[in-house]
Amino acid sequence: MSNMQAAPKPTVVVRGFRIFEGLLQRDVQEALVADLRALTRDAPFFAPQTPYGKPMSVRMTSAGELGWFSDRTGYRYTSTHPKGQSWPEIPASVLDIWDHISGVTRSPQSCLVNFYGENAKMGMHQDKDEKDLTWPVVSVSLGDDALFRIGNETRGGKTESIWLRSGDVVVMGGAARLTYHGIDRIRYGSSTLLPKGGRINLTLRVVD
Ligand code: MD6
Ligand code: FE
């Protein structure tokens, strides 16, 4: 298929999630953090509200033509930051990872940037706000270790967990695209990448 390209082999596969442990060397991680600092100067992190009234514990921002946004009226992609400006461009350092690992030749339209402080977590969810779910989602972990839980295509049932470390990259595609997953907790202070601790997760997507 013309839209596919060769991609490296994952170090582990859990329920169809292709996990590339240690894919990004420390110098690459540091360069990503520098690019993300510049990005968050233009598009500061905000605390998303949820439709059910409880704020999310992660702080969030985006890059690319579309950013993910959540408030009392629901979840959606928007072309602007909540303060009104367009989202910044996805840094080349981030696009390089997609090009290397996604297995597809179309570029991502959205890079969601999630920051996890000491007590942040992310409940079990599906990623299904994109129009065409045949495109993969690529996720990059930076900073503190995080306990990633992988479930099933419907809520509930047995789950499997794996620790994601700084420099790990996960590709969720194919049969795994609608699998429930979440972050139970981070091991605050386990990494020296971010001087004040915490974890950044990037998720790259084709949206429409
Ligand atoms: C996180 N990750 O690692 C949350 N979604 O902080 C996700 O929700 C995720 O890792 C889609 C594909 C891969 C992921
Ligand atoms: Fe997700």
Side-chain angles (χ1 to χ4, degrees), residues 116 122 125 127 137 139 148 164 172 181 183 199 201 203:
Y116 293 72
M122 183 166 297
H125 66 276
D127 287 67
V137 178
S139 142
F148 188 53
L164 295 180
M172 180 180 75
H181 57 277
I183 296 288
R199 172 176 185 262
N201 176 258
T203 44

Side-chain angles (χ1 to χ4, degrees), residues 60 62 76 85 94 98 109 114 182:
M60 187 172 280
S62 286
R76 60 195 174 277
Q85 72 276 35
V94 176
W98 172 276
Q109 295 172 287
N114 283 158

